[in-house]
Amino acid sequence: MKRLFLTLTAVAFLAVGCGNGNGSNNNSGSEAVEDTDSETPSASSDNSTEAPPTDDSWKENKGIGPVKTLKTPLAATPDAAMAAEGKELFINYCSSCHKVNRNFLGPMPKGILERRTPEWVMNMIMNPEEMRKKDPIAKKLHEQYPSIMTDYKLKEDQVRAILEYFRTLE
């Protein structure tokens, strides 16, 4: 029953897409997470990875939103159970616009913690509208990826699980 609910929820979210109204992506399930080459090209000007920042200013940027500091600091290795939950959440909510290994309608999450603070990542997921309008990094990303990120109103523990999943991608 729970699996059926998750599947139906995923289908509904995929039908909505990334909030840009085009509904052009019809992938679902784990293949959407692992997909690397059979989709529409990235919305970015090229299909390369996001360049690492040239200075360390990003290391001080925690974004705008409810996460000021992590309630549970990052452990040396990712928590496997939390990462598994995060992968499911990523598949259900994020994979229609984000591909693990390449840029698509939004930037890829692989290596994100080499470019952003954990707090920034969580705030971007939890507070995308305000981040897009006020955060300098998010503003620049919106220029590169004009699709507007959907606010799914995820709870902090859900977003923390997604962050833990991202840590396994590095």
Side-chain angles (χ1 to χ4, degrees):
M1 182 65 101
K2 182 177 178 184
R3 193 124 178 98
L4 176 62
F5 174 76
L6 288 174
T7 302
L8 292 174
T9 302
V11 169
F13 283 119
L14 290 174
V16 172
C18 293
N20 62 6
N22 69 9
S24 64
N25 189 344
N26 61 4
N27 271 351
S28 63
S30 62
E31 66 227 25
V33 173
E34 303 303 331
D35 181 280
T36 58
D37 44 36
S38 64
E39 292 285 338
T40 306
S42 167
S44 64
S45 58
D46 64 22
N47 206 18
S48 63
T49 61
E50 181 185 345
T54 55
D55 63 24
D56 287 343
S57 62
W58 67 272
K59 292 180 179 179
E60 302 301 317
N61 185 340
K62 294 187 178 194
I64 300 163
V67 182
K68 306 301 181 208
T69 186
L70 297 181
K71 290 180 180 174
T72 306
L74 298 180
T77 58
D79 178 297
M82 191 184 296
E85 177 188 350
K87 182 176 182 178
E88 280 295 315
L89 290 163
F90 179 84
I91 290 167
N92 291 333
Y93 293 100
C94 313
S95 65
S96 62
C97 296
H98 296 274
K99 304 303 175 193
V100 170
N101 294 312
R102 67 183 174 92
N103 296 328
F104 187 55
L105 295 177
M108 68 177 170
K110 184 177 181 180
I112 188 68
L113 295 175
E114 296 168 9
R115 305 182 303 272
R116 308 286 178 261
T117 62
E119 297 87 354
W120 189 95
V121 173
M122 291 180 69
N123 282 322
M124 187 66 200
I125 296 170
M126 294 176 74
N127 191 27
E129 176 97 9
E130 190 173 13
M131 286 281 287
R132 181 176 54 85
K133 291 178 181 176
K134 297 179 181 176
D135 180 81
I137 296 171
K139 283 181 181 181
K140 188 173 181 179
L141 282 171
H142 183 60
E143 291 172 8
Q144 187 177 2
Y145 303 95
S147 295
I148 296 174
M149 187 163 160
T150 302
D151 184 353
Y152 289 112
K153 308 289 186 208
L154 297 174
K155 296 177 183 166
E156 188 170 337
D157 62 327
Q158 293 174 304
V159 176
R160 179 64 170 81
I162 293 171
L163 178 72
E164 203 68 11
Y165 169 59
F166 289 171
R167 293 182 64 210
T168 69
L169 302 175
E170 311 200 294

